[in-house]
């Protein structure tokens, strides 16, 4: 099955993102995470890919393989192109194909000032076009409710996103955001621009203060006053902040589902317990 079929019947879908083990982590611990996430019956699980040359890149393929062939779920393998040439990309696609992984989230990847980018692919849309031409994969892409930090403005970013969709991306997953109104106006901009593919809302439960600072610096997500008040009140109390972060994410999801979002993509941070707490309290709200 590929992702396209998932969004044809009007059901609201739940999906998860996980990442390969960090340098000293074990791949078995990630398998344990996948096994626990399976209890929540996600539509698919996506696996991130290190853009900047962490030795763990091969693990994305191994984990996607296990999601499909060991745990019987639908995997989506992230793939970044900024530091790869065409030949290297084709090798990874071959590896995925051999394992029956048919869904790829095609990304450019973040620029790293210390690594000279390769030149075969300038934008994710170039990678999408390449995979489309090759065939055999359903392609997803990333999108940015609050505009990608490098984009000139929101309109330019949506027009660039349209190029990615026109090149062959049939499904989009959004960057995390904490203010649902930014997601709603983004979806409206997309529809006006003629982007008609399913758009899943990326939700990250924030459970520690360091993570919040990192996220805001990395992806420029704005913090609504309600969210900032949570941080200033509970920032020094990890247990309380975790409770508040779960409640906040849950509240976002309820509002998104009520407003007819096509899918919720939960950034699990490889914490299945967290995902369980959130999903168990909203699972009946998904339109069947
Ligand atoms: P693009 O779509 O290429 O966009 C990047 C910038 O270029 C934007 O400003 C856009 O407006 C502009 N642009 C795009 N196309 C054109 C064009 N044709 N002409 C001119 N300008 C253009 N990073 C990882 O390293 N590994 C991961 O696994 C990973 N997973 C992610 C998953 C999701 C859901 C999201 C939202 C992000 C993820 N990222 C990941 C981060 C991502 O790599 C960065 O945000 C990166 O800076 C942009 O990648 P992109 O694919 O969106 O790039």
């Amino acid at each position: 099955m590929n992702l396209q079929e998932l969004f044809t019947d009007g059901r609201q879908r739940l999906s998860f993102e996980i990442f390969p083990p960090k340098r000293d982590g074990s791949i078995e611990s990630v398998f344990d995470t996948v096994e626990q996430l399976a209890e929540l019956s996600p539509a698919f699980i996506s696996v991130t890919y290190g853009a900047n040359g962490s030795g763990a890149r091969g693990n994305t393929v191994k984990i996607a393989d296990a999601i499909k062939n060991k745990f019987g779920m639908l995997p989506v393998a992230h793939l970044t192109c900024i530091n790869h040439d065409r030949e290297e990309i084709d090798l990874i696609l071959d590896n995925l194909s051999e394992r029956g992984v048919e869904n790829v989230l095609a990304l450019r990847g973040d620029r790293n000032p210390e690594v000279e980018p390769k030149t075969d692919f300038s934008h994710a849309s170039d990678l999408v076009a390449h995979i489309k031409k090759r065939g055999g994969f359903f392609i997803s892409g990333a999108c940015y409710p609050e505009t990608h930090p490098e984009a000139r403005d929101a309109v330019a970013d949506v027009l660039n996103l349209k190029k990615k969709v026109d090149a062959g991306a049939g499904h989009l997953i959004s960057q995390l955001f904490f203010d649902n109104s930014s997601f709603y106006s983004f979806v409206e901009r997309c529809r006006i621009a003629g982007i008609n593919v399913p758009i899943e809302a990326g939700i990250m439960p924030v459970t520690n203060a360091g993570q919040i600072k990192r996220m805001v610096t990395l992806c420029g997500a704005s913090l609504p006053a309600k969210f900032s008040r949570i941080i200033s009140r509970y920032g020094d109390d990890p247990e309380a902040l975790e409770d508040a972060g779960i409640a906040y994410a849950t509240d976002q999801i309820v509002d998104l589902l009520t407003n007819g979002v096509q899918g919720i993509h939960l950034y699990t941070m490889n914490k299945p317990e967290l995902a369980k707490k959130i999903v168990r309290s909203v699972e009946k709200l998904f339109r069947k």
Side-chain angles (χ1 to χ4, degrees):
M1 187 192 323
N2 73 35
L3 255 169
Q4 189 159 32
E5 294 157 38
L6 279 179
F7 290 94
T8 51
D9 59 4
R11 288 174 67 175
Q12 292 174 307
R13 300 294 183 170
L14 167 71
S15 61
F16 296 136
E17 179 184 288
I18 60 170
F19 49 76
K22 302 271 190 266
R23 208 161 300 152
D24 50 358
S26 80
I27 198 161
E28 273 68 32
S29 71
V30 181
F31 292 164
D32 179 58
T33 297
V34 174
E35 191 166 18
Q36 292 195 58
L37 292 175
E39 292 170 26
L40 301 170
S41 307
F44 66 88
I45 298 184
S46 80
V47 191
T48 64
Y49 185 82
N52 291 319
S54 72
R57 280 167 164 186
N59 281 335
T60 300
V61 176
K62 282 189 205 147
I63 294 166
D65 178 13
I67 290 170
K68 181 179 168 76
N69 298 309
K70 188 171 154 101
F71 299 102
M73 290 182 290
L74 193 64
V76 174
H78 296 207
L79 180 56
T80 60
C81 59
I82 190 163
N83 295 314
H84 284 311
D85 57 29
R86 219 168 269 124
E87 214 170 289
E88 290 164 340
I89 288 290
D90 281 336
L91 202 62
I92 299 165
L93 293 171
D94 286 344
N95 280 333
L96 290 169
S97 261
E98 281 159 18
R99 291 162 172 80
V101 177
E102 299 172 328
N103 303 290
V104 171
L105 174 56
L107 298 144
R108 187 198 69 187
D110 279 324
R111 295 185 194 284
N112 178 348
E114 283 154 32
V115 182
E116 187 65 28
K118 296 215 170 158
T119 53
D120 280 355
F121 306 98
S122 303
H123 307 290
S125 54
D126 302 325
L127 178 62
V128 171
H130 178 74
I131 302 174
K132 188 76 183 170
K133 191 163 165 219
R134 178 193 153 106
F137 289 94
F138 179 76
I139 310 161
S140 302
C143 63
Y144 301 84
E146 294 183 271
T147 304
H148 186 269
E150 291 167 34
R152 195 179 63 234
D153 53 41
V155 172
D157 203 32
V158 167
L159 293 177
N160 289 332
L161 183 61
K162 175 85 165 61
K163 292 181 196 159
K164 185 151 63 179
V165 171
D166 289 346
H171 162 250
L172 299 170
I173 303 178
S174 91
Q175 180 62 281
L176 63 93
F177 56 89
F178 300 109
D179 179 355
N180 286 1
S181 65
S182 65
F183 181 80
Y184 299 137
S185 32
F186 167 72
V187 173
E188 205 175 317
R189 283 196 299 281
C190 287
R191 301 313 183 210
I192 290 168
I195 297 171
N196 293 313
V197 299
I199 303 177
E200 279 193 82
I203 296 295
M204 176 170 283
V206 165
T207 54
N208 70 68
Q211 178 197 4
I212 298 164
K213 287 194 195 97
R214 244 187 348 269
M215 286 307 136
V216 172
T217 318
L218 272 177
C219 63
S222 57
L223 298 181
K226 182 177 159 186
F227 191 89
S228 301
R229 279 197 295 274
I230 291 176
I231 300 165
S232 57
R233 189 167 176 104
Y234 301 114
D236 296 333
D237 180 343
E239 286 182 354
L241 186 62
E242 180 168 317
D243 275 357
I246 289 172
Y248 193 93
T250 306
D251 189 43
Q252 273 193 285
I253 294 171
V254 171
D255 183 69
L256 287 159
L257 290 171
T258 309
N259 280 286
V261 72
Q262 288 164 294
I264 300 288
H265 187 70
L266 195 63
Y267 294 105
T268 71
M269 296 163 296
N270 292 14
K271 293 181 179 165
E273 289 310 323
L274 206 64
K276 282 182 194 174
K277 280 187 189 162
I278 293 172
V279 173
R280 297 278 188 232
S281 61
V282 295
E283 59 195 346
K284 304 220 169 42
L285 308 185
F286 283 75
R287 188 175 54 221
K288 298 274 189 294

